[in-house]
Amino acid sequence: MNSTLFVRMRELWSMLAARERRLVAMGAVLLSLIVLYLLLWLPLQQELSQLRAGVPEGQAQLARMRQQAAAIQPFRGRAASVPAPGTLVTVVDQSATGRGLRKQITKLEAEGSNGVQLTAEAISFNSLIAWLADLRETHSLITDNLSVDAHTTPGTVNARLRMRINNP
């Protein structure tokens, strides 16, 4: 198929007069330049303009991030109090009681010397997440495993989780 098309094009070319051949060749060159401009040069220039317009915005964002980094720097040195071995269950129990979540905790038991496992039913999801974040910040407790199932009441869940002391 390609060879027959090529042969046909060659026949058409040979039937053209010299002046017509020059005109067709110039048209082909002009068409090629237009296609290159539309498919390559123009999109590159548009992308370059967008990137140039985005630089000041990126610089402003970098400046904001540097200000925020400077603002949180004093908090980096503040270490959380790590519970003593054997008192982890007590710390978690007191923290849950302080947040009003103790009634929802149905099971709370130690897991080794630096871990605790608990089950909570019909606990507010938002309260659970806030409580876990607070335990992370104040007592260096991290959640190893968390399983959450929807409860029948909207916004509440049944949760099973395992936490441990974060030893960096």
Side-chain angles (χ1 to χ4, degrees):
M1 176 71 183
N2 285 341
S3 62
T4 58
L5 179 63
F6 183 71
V7 170
R8 178 75 180 129
M9 294 295 287
R10 208 160 224 253
E11 288 174 3
L12 287 174
W13 182 260
S14 63
M15 287 193 295
L16 295 175
R19 186 173 180 185
E20 292 172 334
R21 285 184 195 162
R22 277 194 305 268
L23 186 62
V24 169
M26 286 190 298
V29 168
L30 182 62
L31 182 64
S32 298
L33 290 174
I34 291 171
V35 168
L36 284 174
Y37 176 79
L38 291 175
L39 294 179
L40 293 176
W41 184 258
L42 191 58
L44 284 173
Q45 289 302 312
Q46 289 172 343
E47 184 69 25
L48 184 61
S49 295
Q50 288 175 350
L51 289 173
R52 285 183 178 151
V55 168
E57 182 182 320
Q59 289 173 335
Q61 184 179 12
L62 177 61
R64 285 190 307 272
M65 291 172 66
R66 286 184 175 154
Q67 286 175 341
Q68 291 170 351
I72 65 169
Q73 191 63 31
F75 298 109
R76 288 192 172 263
R78 190 177 73 187
S81 63
V82 178
T87 63
L88 187 55
V89 172
T90 307
V91 167
V92 171
D93 184 55
Q94 288 174 352
S95 176
T97 302
R99 286 189 166 258
L101 302 175
R102 185 60 181 105
K103 289 183 276 184
Q104 288 86 7
I105 296 177
T106 57
K107 177 181 160 190
L108 177 61
E109 58 187 33
E111 187 175 87
S113 64
N114 70 341
V116 65
Q117 190 169 8
L118 68 89
T119 303
E121 295 181 8
I123 190 168
S124 163
F125 179 76
N126 291 340
S127 298
L128 174 67
I129 297 302
W131 178 52
L132 294 176
D134 182 53
L135 287 171
R136 167 88 168 119
E137 291 298 316
T138 58
H139 299 292
S140 287
L141 293 178
I142 59 172
T143 304
D144 272 345
N145 189 358
L146 173 63
S147 175
V148 178
D149 299 315
H151 189 263
T152 55
T153 307
T156 61
V157 295
N158 297 329
R160 290 170 305 286
L161 60 105
R162 185 175 64 229
M163 293 182 286
R164 66 174 172 83
I165 298 171
N166 184 20
N167 293 325

Short mmCIF file of all heavy atoms in Angstrom, two decimals, residues 55-121:
data_model
loop_
_atom_site.label_atom_id
_atom_site.label_comp_id
_atom_site.label_asym_id
_atom_site.label_seq_id
_atom_site.Cartn_x
_atom_site.Cartn_y
_atom_site.Cartn_z
N VAL A 55 5.94 31.99 38.91
CA VAL A 55 7.13 32.18 39.75
C VAL A 55 6.86 33.13 40.92
O VAL A 55 7.19 32.80 42.06
CB VAL A 55 8.33 32.64 38.89
CG1 VAL A 55 9.47 33.13 39.76
CG2 VAL A 55 8.80 31.50 38.01
N PRO A 56 6.27 34.29 40.71
CA PRO A 56 6.01 35.17 41.87
C PRO A 56 5.10 34.52 42.91
O PRO A 56 5.31 34.67 44.11
CB PRO A 56 5.33 36.40 41.25
CG PRO A 56 5.75 36.40 39.83
CD PRO A 56 5.91 34.96 39.46
N GLU A 57 4.11 33.77 42.45
CA GLU A 57 3.22 33.07 43.38
C GLU A 57 4.00 32.02 44.18
O GLU A 57 3.81 31.89 45.38
CB GLU A 57 2.09 32.39 42.59
CG GLU A 57 1.09 31.68 43.46
CD GLU A 57 0.01 30.99 42.63
OE1 GLU A 57 -0.43 31.59 41.63
OE2 GLU A 57 -0.37 29.89 42.99
N GLY A 58 4.88 31.30 43.53
CA GLY A 58 5.71 30.31 44.22
C GLY A 58 6.65 30.97 45.21
O GLY A 58 6.87 30.44 46.31
N GLN A 59 7.19 32.11 44.84
CA GLN A 59 8.08 32.83 45.76
C GLN A 59 7.31 33.34 46.98
O GLN A 59 7.81 33.29 48.10
CB GLN A 59 8.76 33.99 45.04
CG GLN A 59 9.79 33.53 44.04
CD GLN A 59 10.34 34.67 43.19
OE1 GLN A 59 9.69 35.69 42.99
NE2 GLN A 59 11.56 34.47 42.68
N ALA A 60 6.09 33.80 46.77
CA ALA A 60 5.26 34.26 47.89
C ALA A 60 4.92 33.09 48.81
O ALA A 60 4.95 33.21 50.04
CB ALA A 60 3.99 34.93 47.37
N GLN A 61 4.62 31.94 48.22
CA GLN A 61 4.31 30.76 49.02
C GLN A 61 5.54 30.32 49.81
O GLN A 61 5.44 29.95 50.98
CB GLN A 61 3.83 29.62 48.11
CG GLN A 61 3.40 28.40 48.87
CD GLN A 61 2.90 27.30 47.95
OE1 GLN A 61 3.07 27.36 46.74
NE2 GLN A 61 2.30 26.29 48.54
N LEU A 62 6.71 30.38 49.21
CA LEU A 62 7.94 30.04 49.91
C LEU A 62 8.17 30.98 51.09
O LEU A 62 8.55 30.54 52.18
CB LEU A 62 9.13 30.09 48.95
CG LEU A 62 10.51 29.83 49.56
CD1 LEU A 62 10.58 28.43 50.16
CD2 LEU A 62 11.59 30.03 48.52
N ALA A 63 7.92 32.25 50.89
CA ALA A 63 8.09 33.22 51.98
C ALA A 63 7.13 32.91 53.13
O ALA A 63 7.52 32.96 54.31
CB ALA A 63 7.86 34.64 51.46
N ARG A 64 5.87 32.57 52.80
CA ARG A 64 4.91 32.20 53.85
C ARG A 64 5.35 30.96 54.59
O ARG A 64 5.24 30.87 55.82
CB ARG A 64 3.52 31.98 53.25
CG ARG A 64 2.79 33.25 52.87
CD ARG A 64 1.33 32.98 52.51
NE ARG A 64 1.13 31.95 51.51
CZ ARG A 64 1.10 32.17 50.19
NH1 ARG A 64 1.28 33.39 49.73
NH2 ARG A 64 0.90 31.17 49.36
N MET A 65 5.86 29.98 53.87
CA MET A 65 6.32 28.74 54.49
C MET A 65 7.51 28.99 55.41
O MET A 65 7.60 28.40 56.50
CB MET A 65 6.66 27.70 53.42
CG MET A 65 5.44 27.19 52.69
SD MET A 65 5.84 26.13 51.28
CE MET A 65 6.57 24.73 52.07
N ARG A 66 8.40 29.87 55.00
CA ARG A 66 9.55 30.20 55.86
C ARG A 66 9.09 30.89 57.14
O ARG A 66 9.63 30.65 58.21
CB ARG A 66 10.55 31.05 55.09
CG ARG A 66 11.33 30.25 54.08
CD ARG A 66 12.38 31.06 53.39
NE ARG A 66 13.19 30.21 52.53
CZ ARG A 66 13.83 30.63 51.47
NH1 ARG A 66 13.80 31.90 51.13
NH2 ARG A 66 14.53 29.79 50.74
N GLN A 67 8.09 31.77 57.02
CA GLN A 67 7.55 32.43 58.21
C GLN A 67 6.90 31.41 59.14
O GLN A 67 7.09 31.46 60.36
CB GLN A 67 6.52 33.49 57.83
CG GLN A 67 7.10 34.73 57.23
CD GLN A 67 6.01 35.70 56.77
OE1 GLN A 67 4.86 35.32 56.58
NE2 GLN A 67 6.39 36.95 56.56
N GLN A 68 6.16 30.48 58.57
CA GLN A 68 5.51 29.45 59.38
C GLN A 68 6.54 28.55 60.03
O GLN A 68 6.38 28.13 61.18
CB GLN A 68 4.53 28.65 58.53
CG GLN A 68 3.33 29.45 58.10
CD GLN A 68 2.47 28.73 57.07
OE1 GLN A 68 2.86 27.70 56.53
NE2 GLN A 68 1.30 29.30 56.77
N ALA A 69 7.60 28.23 59.31
CA ALA A 69 8.66 27.38 59.88
C ALA A 69 9.31 28.08 61.06
O ALA A 69 9.61 27.46 62.08
CB ALA A 69 9.69 27.04 58.81
N ALA A 70 9.52 29.39 60.93
CA ALA A 70 10.11 30.14 62.03
C ALA A 70 9.15 30.19 63.22
O ALA A 70 9.58 30.16 64.37
CB ALA A 70 10.46 31.55 61.58
N ALA A 71 7.87 30.25 62.95
CA ALA A 71 6.88 30.32 64.03
C ALA A 71 6.77 29.01 64.79
O ALA A 71 6.52 29.02 66.00
CB ALA A 71 5.52 30.72 63.47
N ILE A 72 6.96 27.88 64.12
CA ILE A 72 6.83 26.60 64.82
C ILE A 72 8.15 26.10 65.39
O ILE A 72 8.17 25.13 66.15
CB ILE A 72 6.22 25.51 63.91
CG1 ILE A 72 7.15 25.18 62.75
CG2 ILE A 72 4.85 25.88 63.46
CD1 ILE A 72 6.75 23.97 61.98
N GLN A 73 9.23 26.76 65.08
CA GLN A 73 10.54 26.33 65.57
C GLN A 73 10.59 26.21 67.09
O GLN A 73 11.16 25.24 67.60
CB GLN A 73 11.63 27.29 65.06
CG GLN A 73 13.04 26.78 65.28
CD GLN A 73 13.33 25.50 64.51
OE1 GLN A 73 12.79 25.27 63.45
NE2 GLN A 73 14.16 24.66 65.08
N PRO A 74 10.03 27.14 67.87
CA PRO A 74 10.09 26.99 69.32
C PRO A 74 9.39 25.73 69.84
O PRO A 74 9.76 25.21 70.89
CB PRO A 74 9.36 28.24 69.84
CG PRO A 74 9.43 29.22 68.73
CD PRO A 74 9.46 28.41 67.47
N PHE A 75 8.42 25.22 69.10
CA PHE A 75 7.69 24.03 69.54
C PHE A 75 8.45 22.74 69.27
O PHE A 75 8.15 21.71 69.84
CB PHE A 75 6.32 23.97 68.86
CG PHE A 75 5.45 25.14 69.19
CD1 PHE A 75 5.18 26.11 68.24
CD2 PHE A 75 4.92 25.28 70.46
CE1 PHE A 75 4.39 27.19 68.54
CE2 PHE A 75 4.12 26.36 70.77
CZ PHE A 75 3.86 27.32 69.81
N ARG A 76 9.42 22.78 68.39
CA ARG A 76 10.17 21.57 68.05
C ARG A 76 10.97 21.04 69.23
O ARG A 76 11.13 19.86 69.38
CB ARG A 76 11.10 21.82 66.87
CG ARG A 76 10.37 21.94 65.58
CD ARG A 76 11.35 21.89 64.43
NE ARG A 76 10.64 21.81 63.18
CZ ARG A 76 10.41 20.68 62.54
NH1 ARG A 76 10.85 19.55 63.02
NH2 ARG A 76 9.76 20.68 61.42
N GLY A 77 11.49 21.91 70.05
CA GLY A 77 12.30 21.48 71.19
C GLY A 77 11.48 20.95 72.34
O GLY A 77 12.00 20.30 73.23
N ARG A 78 10.18 21.21 72.33
CA ARG A 78 9.32 20.77 73.41
C ARG A 78 9.07 19.27 73.29
O ARG A 78 8.47 18.81 72.34
CB ARG A 78 8.00 21.53 73.35
CG ARG A 78 7.15 21.31 74.57
CD ARG A 78 5.91 22.16 74.47
NE ARG A 78 5.03 21.57 73.46
CZ ARG A 78 3.93 22.14 73.05
NH1 ARG A 78 3.57 23.30 73.51
NH2 ARG A 78 3.16 21.56 72.15
N ALA A 79 9.52 18.54 74.26
CA ALA A 79 9.37 17.09 74.22
C ALA A 79 8.12 16.67 74.99
O ALA A 79 7.76 17.26 75.99
CB ALA A 79 10.59 16.42 74.83
N ALA A 80 7.47 15.66 74.50
CA ALA A 80 6.30 15.13 75.17
C ALA A 80 6.75 14.29 76.37
O ALA A 80 7.84 13.73 76.37
CB ALA A 80 5.50 14.26 74.21
N SER A 81 5.90 14.24 77.37
CA SER A 81 6.23 13.43 78.54
C SER A 81 5.93 11.97 78.21
O SER A 81 4.82 11.63 77.81
CB SER A 81 5.42 13.88 79.76
OG SER A 81 4.05 13.69 79.52
N VAL A 82 6.93 11.13 78.36
CA VAL A 82 6.78 9.72 78.05
C VAL A 82 6.38 8.99 79.32
O VAL A 82 7.05 9.11 80.35
CB VAL A 82 8.10 9.14 77.49
CG1 VAL A 82 7.97 7.66 77.22
CG2 VAL A 82 8.50 9.89 76.23
N PRO A 83 5.28 8.24 79.29
CA PRO A 83 4.85 7.52 80.49
C PRO A 83 5.88 6.47 80.89
O PRO A 83 6.55 5.87 80.06
CB PRO A 83 3.55 6.84 80.07
CG PRO A 83 3.15 7.46 78.78
CD PRO A 83 4.38 8.05 78.18
N ALA A 84 5.99 6.26 82.19
CA ALA A 84 6.89 5.23 82.72
C ALA A 84 6.32 3.86 82.37
O ALA A 84 5.10 3.70 82.26
CB ALA A 84 7.03 5.39 84.22
N PRO A 85 7.19 2.87 82.18
CA PRO A 85 6.69 1.52 81.89
C PRO A 85 5.73 1.06 82.99
O PRO A 85 5.96 1.27 84.17
CB PRO A 85 7.96 0.67 81.87
CG PRO A 85 9.05 1.63 81.55
CD PRO A 85 8.64 2.93 82.17
N GLY A 86 4.64 0.44 82.57
CA GLY A 86 3.66 -0.07 83.52
C GLY A 86 2.56 0.93 83.84
O GLY A 86 1.54 0.56 84.41
N THR A 87 2.74 2.21 83.51
CA THR A 87 1.72 3.22 83.80
C THR A 87 0.97 3.64 82.55
O THR A 87 0.12 4.53 82.62
CB THR A 87 2.36 4.47 84.43
OG1 THR A 87 3.25 5.05 83.49
CG2 THR A 87 3.09 4.14 85.71
N LEU A 88 1.24 3.00 81.46
CA LEU A 88 0.64 3.40 80.19
C LEU A 88 -0.88 3.26 80.21
O LEU A 88 -1.60 4.15 79.76
CB LEU A 88 1.24 2.57 79.05
CG LEU A 88 0.86 2.97 77.64
CD1 LEU A 88 1.19 4.42 77.39
CD2 LEU A 88 1.58 2.10 76.65
N VAL A 89 -1.39 2.18 80.76
CA VAL A 89 -2.83 1.98 80.84
C VAL A 89 -3.47 3.09 81.67
O VAL A 89 -4.52 3.64 81.32
CB VAL A 89 -3.18 0.59 81.41
CG1 VAL A 89 -4.67 0.46 81.66
CG2 VAL A 89 -2.71 -0.50 80.46
N THR A 90 -2.82 3.45 82.75
CA THR A 90 -3.32 4.52 83.62
C THR A 90 -3.35 5.84 82.88
O THR A 90 -4.32 6.60 82.97
CB THR A 90 -2.45 4.64 84.88
OG1 THR A 90 -2.36 3.36 85.49
CG2 THR A 90 -3.01 5.64 85.84
N VAL A 91 -2.29 6.14 82.13
CA VAL A 91 -2.22 7.40 81.38
C VAL A 91 -3.34 7.46 80.35
O VAL A 91 -4.04 8.47 80.22
CB VAL A 91 -0.84 7.55 80.70
CG1 VAL A 91 -0.85 8.66 79.68
CG2 VAL A 91 0.23 7.78 81.74
N VAL A 92 -3.54 6.38 79.62
CA VAL A 92 -4.60 6.34 78.59
C VAL A 92 -5.97 6.46 79.25
O VAL A 92 -6.84 7.19 78.78
CB VAL A 92 -4.48 5.06 77.73
CG1 VAL A 92 -5.69 4.91 76.81
CG2 VAL A 92 -3.19 5.08 76.93
N ASP A 93 -6.17 5.76 80.36
CA ASP A 93 -7.44 5.80 81.08
C ASP A 93 -7.74 7.22 81.57
O ASP A 93 -8.85 7.73 81.40
CB ASP A 93 -7.40 4.82 82.26
CG ASP A 93 -8.73 4.75 82.99
OD1 ASP A 93 -9.74 4.49 82.32
OD2 ASP A 93 -8.74 4.98 84.22
N GLN A 94 -6.75 7.87 82.16
CA GLN A 94 -6.95 9.23 82.68
C GLN A 94 -7.21 10.22 81.53
O GLN A 94 -8.05 11.11 81.65
CB GLN A 94 -5.75 9.68 83.49
CG GLN A 94 -5.63 8.99 84.82
CD GLN A 94 -4.34 9.34 85.55
OE1 GLN A 94 -3.45 9.99 85.00
NE2 GLN A 94 -4.24 8.88 86.80
N SER A 95 -6.51 10.04 80.44
CA SER A 95 -6.70 10.92 79.30
C SER A 95 -8.11 10.75 78.72
O SER A 95 -8.78 11.73 78.40
CB SER A 95 -5.65 10.64 78.23
OG SER A 95 -5.87 11.42 77.09
N ALA A 96 -8.57 9.51 78.61
CA ALA A 96 -9.92 9.24 78.09
C ALA A 96 -10.97 9.81 79.03
O ALA A 96 -11.96 10.41 78.59
CB ALA A 96 -10.13 7.75 77.90
N THR A 97 -10.75 9.66 80.32
CA THR A 97 -11.69 10.20 81.30
C THR A 97 -11.74 11.73 81.21
O THR A 97 -12.82 12.33 81.24
CB THR A 97 -11.28 9.77 82.73
OG1 THR A 97 -11.24 8.34 82.77
CG2 THR A 97 -12.25 10.29 83.76
N GLY A 98 -10.58 12.35 81.08
CA GLY A 98 -10.51 13.81 80.96
C GLY A 98 -11.23 14.33 79.73
O GLY A 98 -11.73 15.45 79.73
N ARG A 99 -11.29 13.55 78.68
CA ARG A 99 -11.97 13.98 77.45
C ARG A 99 -13.41 13.49 77.39
O ARG A 99 -14.09 13.71 76.40
CB ARG A 99 -11.21 13.47 76.23
CG ARG A 99 -9.94 14.24 75.99
CD ARG A 99 -9.38 13.84 74.64
NE ARG A 99 -8.35 14.77 74.23
CZ ARG A 99 -8.54 15.73 73.35
NH1 ARG A 99 -9.69 15.91 72.78
NH2 ARG A 99 -7.54 16.53 73.02
N GLY A 100 -13.85 12.78 78.43
CA GLY A 100 -15.22 12.28 78.45
C GLY A 100 -15.45 11.10 77.53
O GLY A 100 -16.58 10.86 77.09
N LEU A 101 -14.42 10.34 77.26
CA LEU A 101 -14.53 9.20 76.35
C LEU A 101 -14.47 7.85 77.07
O LEU A 101 -14.59 6.81 76.43
CB LEU A 101 -13.39 9.25 75.31
CG LEU A 101 -13.31 10.51 74.45
CD1 LEU A 101 -12.07 10.46 73.57
CD2 LEU A 101 -14.55 10.67 73.61
N ARG A 102 -14.29 7.85 78.36
CA ARG A 102 -14.08 6.60 79.09
C ARG A 102 -15.28 5.68 79.01
O ARG A 102 -15.14 4.46 78.98
CB ARG A 102 -13.71 6.90 80.56
CG ARG A 102 -13.34 5.66 81.37
CD ARG A 102 -12.14 4.96 80.73
NE ARG A 102 -11.75 3.77 81.43
CZ ARG A 102 -11.99 2.53 81.01
NH1 ARG A 102 -12.62 2.33 79.87
NH2 ARG A 102 -11.59 1.48 81.69
N LYS A 103 -16.49 6.23 78.95
CA LYS A 103 -17.70 5.39 78.91
C LYS A 103 -17.77 4.56 77.62
O LYS A 103 -18.34 3.48 77.63
CB LYS A 103 -18.96 6.26 79.02
CG LYS A 103 -19.15 6.85 80.40
CD LYS A 103 -20.45 7.64 80.46
CE LYS A 103 -20.17 9.01 79.92
NZ LYS A 103 -21.30 9.93 80.00
N GLN A 104 -17.19 5.08 76.55
CA GLN A 104 -17.25 4.36 75.29
C GLN A 104 -16.17 3.27 75.18
O GLN A 104 -16.25 2.41 74.32
CB GLN A 104 -17.09 5.32 74.11
CG GLN A 104 -18.27 6.20 73.86
CD GLN A 104 -18.25 7.47 74.69
OE1 GLN A 104 -17.28 7.76 75.37
NE2 GLN A 104 -19.34 8.22 74.66
N ILE A 105 -15.17 3.31 76.05
CA ILE A 105 -14.09 2.32 75.99
C ILE A 105 -14.55 1.07 76.75
O ILE A 105 -14.79 1.11 77.95
CB ILE A 105 -12.78 2.88 76.57
CG1 ILE A 105 -12.32 4.05 75.70
CG2 ILE A 105 -11.72 1.79 76.63
CD1 ILE A 105 -11.09 4.75 76.19
N THR A 106 -14.67 -0.04 76.01
CA THR A 106 -15.15 -1.28 76.61
C THR A 106 -14.02 -2.21 77.02
O THR A 106 -14.21 -3.08 77.85
CB THR A 106 -16.07 -2.03 75.63
OG1 THR A 106 -15.36 -2.27 74.41
CG2 THR A 106 -17.32 -1.21 75.33
N LYS A 107 -12.86 -2.00 76.44
CA LYS A 107 -11.72 -2.87 76.77
C LYS A 107 -10.46 -2.02 76.73
O LYS A 107 -10.23 -1.29 75.77
CB LYS A 107 -11.62 -4.00 75.74
CG LYS A 107 -10.44 -4.92 75.92
CD LYS A 107 -10.44 -5.98 74.81
CE LYS A 107 -9.09 -6.59 74.64
NZ LYS A 107 -9.02 -7.42 73.44
N LEU A 108 -9.66 -2.12 77.78
CA LEU A 108 -8.41 -1.38 77.88
C LEU A 108 -7.42 -2.25 78.62
O LEU A 108 -7.60 -2.54 79.80
CB LEU A 108 -8.62 -0.05 78.61
CG LEU A 108 -7.39 0.83 78.86
CD1 LEU A 108 -6.75 1.24 77.54
CD2 LEU A 108 -7.78 2.05 79.67
N GLU A 109 -6.38 -2.69 77.92
CA GLU A 109 -5.41 -3.56 78.57
C GLU A 109 -4.01 -3.31 78.03
O GLU A 109 -3.83 -2.87 76.89
CB GLU A 109 -5.79 -5.03 78.40
CG GLU A 109 -5.93 -5.49 76.97
CD GLU A 109 -6.47 -6.90 76.85
OE1 GLU A 109 -7.28 -7.31 77.69
OE2 GLU A 109 -6.07 -7.59 75.90
N ALA A 110 -3.04 -3.61 78.88
CA ALA A 110 -1.63 -3.42 78.51
C ALA A 110 -1.23 -4.47 77.49
O ALA A 110 -1.72 -5.60 77.50
CB ALA A 110 -0.75 -3.53 79.74
N GLU A 111 -0.32 -4.08 76.64
CA GLU A 111 0.26 -5.00 75.66
C GLU A 111 1.77 -4.86 75.77
O GLU A 111 2.37 -3.95 75.18
CB GLU A 111 -0.24 -4.67 74.26
CG GLU A 111 0.20 -5.71 73.24
CD GLU A 111 -0.40 -5.43 71.89
OE1 GLU A 111 0.21 -4.65 71.14
OE2 GLU A 111 -1.46 -5.99 71.59
N GLY A 112 2.37 -5.71 76.55
CA GLY A 112 3.80 -5.60 76.82
C GLY A 112 4.06 -4.44 77.76
O GLY A 112 3.16 -3.94 78.44
N SER A 113 5.29 -3.97 77.80
CA SER A 113 5.64 -2.89 78.73
C SER A 113 5.43 -1.50 78.13
O SER A 113 5.37 -0.51 78.86
CB SER A 113 7.09 -3.04 79.18
OG SER A 113 7.95 -2.89 78.06
N ASN A 114 5.33 -1.40 76.80
CA ASN A 114 5.18 -0.07 76.21
C ASN A 114 4.03 0.03 75.22
O ASN A 114 4.03 0.86 74.33
CB ASN A 114 6.48 0.37 75.53
CG ASN A 114 6.78 -0.43 74.28
OD1 ASN A 114 6.24 -1.51 74.09
ND2 ASN A 114 7.64 0.09 73.44
N GLY A 115 3.01 -0.81 75.42
CA GLY A 115 1.87 -0.77 74.51
C GLY A 115 0.56 -0.93 75.25
O GLY A 115 0.51 -1.38 76.40
N VAL A 116 -0.51 -0.55 74.59
CA VAL A 116 -1.85 -0.69 75.15
C VAL A 116 -2.80 -1.00 74.00
O VAL A 116 -2.60 -0.55 72.87
CB VAL A 116 -2.28 0.59 75.91
CG1 VAL A 116 -2.41 1.77 74.98
CG2 VAL A 116 -3.56 0.37 76.67
N GLN A 117 -3.80 -1.81 74.30
CA GLN A 117 -4.80 -2.18 73.30
C GLN A 117 -6.15 -1.80 73.87
O GLN A 117 -6.44 -2.03 75.05
CB GLN A 117 -4.73 -3.68 73.03
CG GLN A 117 -5.53 -4.12 71.86
CD GLN A 117 -5.22 -5.56 71.47
OE1 GLN A 117 -4.51 -6.27 72.17
NE2 GLN A 117 -5.77 -5.99 70.36
N LEU A 118 -7.00 -1.21 73.02
CA LEU A 118 -8.32 -0.83 73.53
C LEU A 118 -9.37 -0.99 72.46
O LEU A 118 -9.09 -1.00 71.27
CB LEU A 118 -8.31 0.59 74.09
CG LEU A 118 -8.14 1.79 73.18
CD1 LEU A 118 -9.48 2.27 72.66
CD2 LEU A 118 -7.50 2.91 73.96
N THR A 119 -10.61 -1.14 72.95
CA THR A 119 -11.77 -1.23 72.09
C THR A 119 -12.77 -0.18 72.56
O THR A 119 -13.01 -0.06 73.76
CB THR A 119 -12.41 -2.64 72.18
OG1 THR A 119 -11.43 -3.61 71.83
CG2 THR A 119 -13.60 -2.76 71.25
N ALA A 120 -13.33 0.56 71.63
CA ALA A 120 -14.32 1.58 71.96
C ALA A 120 -15.54 1.37 71.07
O ALA A 120 -15.41 1.04 69.90
CB ALA A 120 -13.75 2.97 71.75
N GLU A 121 -16.71 1.57 71.65
CA GLU A 121 -17.95 1.40 70.90
C GLU A 121 -18.74 2.69 70.93
O GLU A 121 -18.81 3.37 71.95
CB GLU A 121 -18.77 0.25 71.48
CG GLU A 121 -18.08 -1.09 71.31
CD GLU A 121 -18.89 -2.25 71.87
OE1 GLU A 121 -20.05 -2.04 72.25
OE2 GLU A 121 -18.34 -3.36 71.91
#
